[in-house]
Amino acid sequence: MLHVEWLPYALDLAGAFVFALSGAMAGVRHRLDLFGVLVLSFAAANTGGITRDLLIGAVPPGAISDWRYLGVSVLAGLLTFCFPSRLRQEWNPVLLFDAAGLALFAVTGAGKALAHGLNPVMATLLGMLTGIGGGLARDVLLAQVPTVLRSDLYAVAALAGAAVVVIASQLQLAPGPAALAGAALCFGMRVLAIRNKWQLPVAGSVAGPPQE
Amino acid sequence: MLHVEWLPYALDLAGAFVFALSGAMAGVRHRLDLFGVLVLSFAAANTGGITRDLLIGAVPPGAISDWRYLGVSVLAGLLTFCFPSRLRQEWNPVLLFDAAGLALFAVTGAGKALAHGLNPVMATLLGMLTGIGGGLARDVLLAQVPTVLRSDLYAVAALAGAAVVVIASQLQLAPGPAALAGAALCFGMRVLAIRNKWQLPVAGSVAGPPQE
Amino acid sequence: MLHVEWLPYALDLAGAFVFALSGAMAGVRHRLDLFGVLVLSFAAANTGGITRDLLIGAVPPGAISDWRYLGVSVLAGLLTFCFPSRLRQEWNPVLLFDAAGLALFAVTGAGKALAHGLNPVMATLLGMLTGIGGGLARDVLLAQVPTVLRSDLYAVAALAGAAVVVIASQLQLAPGPAALAGAALCFGMRVLAIRNKWQLPVAGSVAGPPQE
C-alpha cells in the first residue's frame, strides 16, 4: 500500500464527488431510474481515474479497492436524486460541477502518472484523460457526442491544469501549491470560457452551413 | 494456471452463451451483417468479464486466453443469425436471455472478485459490473442509452445476486448452493420486474412532462 | 525494454497516422473544435492498440509510454484540421485511410499478441481487435453505430490479415513478408469491398422492410 498523502487524496475524493453530481444530474435529466442515476454517478466520477490506473498499471485501481470513491459517488447520486431542483440553479450547475471535477482530476491525475514514472508529456496527457474520462463515459452512456469534444476549452483547460503540475514537478517546486494553482487555472479557464462563450476554432471548409 | 472449479466455470460459459444470444439478437434487429452480429455477440458476452478481470489484475482475461468463450459467443451468434425467427417468441426473448446472463455473471463475477482478495463491498459491485458490462457494451455499440440504466430493476437484481454470494462467503457457507441461490434471486427479480413492469422511482421534479 | 524491431514499429506508427487522419476527418465533419478533433485523432489511432496492450498485460501500453504515437496523432489531426478540403477527394478518403489503418494494425496487433504468448486463435482475434478498436472508439465517441459493425467486409478483412500473420508464424515463415502480405490482403479486401459494395449477408427474417 502506498503512503497516501492527504492533499491529492482529498482532492481526488472531492473531484469524484463533483463529477458524480454532474453524472447524476445528467441521469436525472434523461429520466433514468434511481439505480441508473447511481451507475451514472459512479461512471462519471471514476472512469477517468480507473482508466488512468489501468494505463499506468496501478491495479486494482484506487476507485475499485477503496470504498470511499463508491461512497462519495453514491452520496452525490442520492443527493441529486432527492433534491434535483435545489441543485438546478439558473446557471447550468452541471457545467460548474463539471469544471470543478475537471480541475481536481487533471491535477491529481497528472501527479499520479508522474509518481508512476511516466515522462512529462504523457503524464500531462494522462492528467487530461483523468479529467475528461468521466465526462466522456457519462455522455457515451447517454448516447450523446461528449461535451468535451465540442465545448468551450474543455480539454484545453484540463491540459493546462495538468501541465502546471508537471512543470512544477520538473522544476522541483512544492507539489501542494502547484496542484492548487493548476486546479485554479483549469477551473478559471473553463468558467471564463462558459461565461464568455469562448470557443476553439472549428474547421469550416468541409461542411456547408452549420448543422445546428 | 489456476485450478478451475467446474461450477463457476460452467456457469460462466453458460452466461456468456446467453448474453451472446442477447447481443446477437440486438445486432440482427439493427440489421448488422454477419460479422457485425458476431462482434456484438462477443462484446455482449465478454465485456463484463473482461472489464472485471482488467480491474482485478487477472491478465490476460479469461475470455481472451481461453478460446471457449469465443467459441460459445460465435456459436450463439451463428444460431441467432441463422434462426432469428425461432428465437423470437411472443415474449421478448432478448430480455429473458439477458436476465439469465445477468444472473450467471453477477454470481461468478462476485466469486472471482472475492477470490482475488477484494473487500466484500467492492466484490459485490464487481459482480454487478460483470453482469451489466455486457449489456452496457451491447447498447453503447448500437448507440443507444443502455437498457440497464433505464429498465426495471436491472442493476438492482445483479447487485442482489452478487450480494448473496458475497454474504455467503463471509458466513463461510458452501459456495455452490450460494451461487445458485444468488443466480435464482437475480433471475427471479428480473423476470418478475419485466412481467409486472416494476420500476425504480424516477426523479420527477426536474423535467417537465415525460419525453417518451 | 524490448528490442523494438523496425518493421512492426514503423508499420504501427504508420497505422496510427492513417487512423488518426480518419478520426480527425470524422471529427471535422461533426464540427468539433480543434481540441475535439485532436482527441478524436488520438482515440481513433490508439484505442485498438491500447486495448490490446491492456488485454495482454503490456502495461503501460506503447501508445502511452512512447510519445511518438501521440506525435503522429497530433500531426495527423492538425493536418486534417488545417487542410480538410485537400484531404477530401471525390472518393471518400476516410474509408481509404481507414482501410490502410485497419490493415497495418491487424498485422502488428496479431504479431504483438503472438509475441506475448497468446494462442493462435486468440492472437488472430486480438489482431482484428487492434484493427477495429480505433474505428469503434471513433464512432462510439460520435454517438454512431460503428461502421465496423455494418459495412462491407470490415472486420472480416482485419481477421484475414491477422490470420496471415499468425499462420505464417505457425509455419515459421519470415515475419516481415508475412506482415506485408497480411496487410496487403486486408487492404485489398477492404478496398474491393468498398468499390464493389460487397456485403456480408444480413439476417432478413426478423425485421420487416429495411430501415434505410
Side-chain angles (χ1 to χ4, degrees):
Chain A
M1 203 61 186
L2 290 172
H3 171 74
V4 179
E5 300 170 45
W6 74 270
L7 182 65
Y9 184 60
L11 286 176
D12 220 34
L13 284 177
F17 183 77
V18 290
F19 259 130
L21 286 177
S22 124
M25 184 66 84
V28 166
R29 284 196 174 175
H30 280 74
R31 304 191 65 71
L32 303 183
D33 66 22
L34 173 58
F35 224 85
V37 168
L38 294 181
V39 169
L40 218 60
S41 297
F42 187 80
N46 297 300
T47 303
I50 288 174
T51 306
R52 176 203 58 210
D53 287 355
L54 288 178
L55 291 175
I56 62 179
V59 173
I64 298 297
S65 59
D66 181 348
W67 63 269
R68 287 182 191 85
Y69 290 91
L70 174 64
V72 297
S73 304
V74 168
L75 177 65
L78 289 175
L79 284 175
T80 307
F81 191 82
C82 295
F83 309 108
S85 53
R86 303 231 180 130
L87 284 171
R88 187 180 165 84
Q89 313 294 338
E90 297 165 29
W91 191 48
N92 195 327
V94 173
L95 289 177
L96 196 61
F97 294 144
D98 221 61
L102 185 72
L104 296 173
F105 273 12
V107 299
T108 58
K112 188 159 183 181
L114 281 175
H116 275 72
L118 266 75
N119 67 58
V121 172
M122 298 313 294
T124 308
L125 200 76
L126 274 178
M128 185 190 80
L129 177 67
T130 309
I132 71 179
L136 283 176
R138 177 197 63 207
D139 294 348
V140 165
L141 286 175
L142 292 171
Q144 297 185 317
V145 179
T147 312
V148 56
L149 298 180
R150 314 200 82 137
S151 87
D152 349 70
L153 298 189
Y154 198 99
V156 174
L159 196 67
V164 167
V165 171
V166 171
I167 292 170
S169 160
Q170 296 292 304
L171 300 177
Q172 301 190 319
L173 303 178
L180 291 176
L185 175 63
C186 173
F187 185 74
M189 281 177 68
R190 184 78 184 108
V191 169
L192 285 174
I194 295 169
R195 278 197 185 279
N196 302 324
K197 300 196 187 304
W198 287 346
Q199 297 278 353
L200 284 179
V202 172
S205 52
V206 170
Q211 299 158 329
E212 303 280 348
Chain B
M1 204 63 188
L2 290 172
H3 171 73
V4 179
E5 298 170 46
W6 75 270
L7 182 64
Y9 185 60
L11 286 177
D12 219 33
L13 283 177
F17 184 77
V18 290
F19 259 130
L21 287 177
S22 125
M25 184 67 84
V28 166
R29 285 194 174 175
H30 280 74
R31 302 192 65 70
L32 303 183
D33 66 21
L34 173 57
F35 222 86
V37 168
L38 294 181
V39 169
L40 218 60
S41 298
F42 186 80
N46 297 298
T47 303
I50 288 174
T51 306
R52 175 204 60 210
D53 287 355
L54 287 178
L55 292 175
I56 62 179
V59 174
I64 297 297
S65 59
D66 182 346
W67 63 269
R68 288 181 191 85
Y69 289 92
L70 174 64
V72 298
S73 303
V74 168
L75 178 64
L78 289 175
L79 284 175
T80 307
F81 191 81
C82 297
F83 309 109
S85 53
R86 303 236 178 125
L87 284 170
R88 189 180 164 83
Q89 312 292 339
E90 298 164 28
W91 191 47
N92 194 327
V94 172
L95 290 177
L96 195 61
F97 294 144
D98 221 62
L102 185 73
L104 296 173
F105 273 13
V107 298
T108 59
K112 188 159 182 180
L114 280 176
H116 274 73
L118 266 74
N119 67 57
V121 172
M122 297 314 293
T124 308
L125 200 75
L126 273 178
M128 184 189 80
L129 177 68
T130 309
I132 71 178
L136 283 176
R138 179 196 63 206
D139 293 348
V140 165
L141 285 175
L142 293 171
Q144 297 186 318
V145 178
T147 312
V148 56
L149 299 180
R150 314 200 82 136
S151 87
D152 349 69
L153 298 189
Y154 197 99
V156 174
L159 196 67
V164 167
V165 172
V166 170
I167 293 170
S169 159
Q170 297 291 305
L171 300 177
Q172 301 189 319
L173 303 179
L180 291 176
L185 174 63
C186 173
F187 185 75
M189 280 177 69
R190 184 78 184 108
V191 169
L192 285 174
I194 296 170
R195 278 198 185 278
N196 302 324
K197 300 196 188 305
W198 287 346
Q199 298 277 353
L200 285 178
V202 171
S205 51
V206 170
Q211 299 157 332
E212 304 279 346
Chain C
M1 205 61 187
L2 289 173
H3 170 74
V4 179
E5 299 171 44
W6 74 269
L7 182 63
Y9 184 59
L11 286 177
D12 219 36
L13 283 178
F17 183 77
V18 290
F19 259 130
L21 286 177
S22 125
M25 184 67 83
V28 166
R29 284 195 174 174
H30 279 74
R31 302 191 66 72
L32 303 184
D33 66 22
L34 173 58
F35 222 86
V37 169
L38 294 180
V39 169
L40 217 61
S41 298
F42 186 81
N46 298 298
T47 304
I50 288 174
T51 307
R52 176 204 58 210
D53 287 354
L54 287 178
L55 291 175
I56 63 179
V59 173
I64 297 298
S65 59
D66 181 348
W67 62 270
R68 288 181 191 85
Y69 290 91
L70 174 64
V72 298
S73 304
V74 168
L75 178 64
L78 289 176
L79 283 175
T80 307
F81 191 82
C82 296
F83 310 110
S85 53
R86 303 232 178 128
L87 285 171
R88 187 179 165 84
Q89 313 293 338
E90 299 165 27
W91 191 47
N92 194 327
V94 173
L95 290 178
L96 196 61
F97 294 144
D98 221 63
L102 185 72
L104 296 172
F105 273 11
V107 299
T108 58
K112 188 160 183 181
L114 281 176
H116 275 73
L118 266 75
N119 68 57
V121 171
M122 298 314 293
T124 308
L125 199 77
L126 272 178
M128 185 191 81
L129 177 68
T130 310
I132 71 179
L136 284 176
R138 178 196 63 208
D139 294 349
V140 165
L141 285 175
L142 293 171
Q144 296 185 318
V145 178
T147 312
V148 57
L149 299 180
R150 314 200 83 136
S151 86
D152 349 70
L153 298 188
Y154 199 99
V156 174
L159 196 66
V164 168
V165 172
V166 170
I167 292 171
S169 159
Q170 297 292 304
L171 301 177
Q172 300 189 319
L173 303 178
L180 291 175
L185 174 63
C186 173
F187 185 73
M189 281 178 68
R190 183 80 185 106
V191 169
L192 285 174
I194 295 170
R195 279 198 185 279
N196 302 324
K197 301 197 187 304
W198 287 346
Q199 297 277 355
L200 285 179
V202 172
S205 52
V206 170
Q211 300 157 329
E212 303 279 346

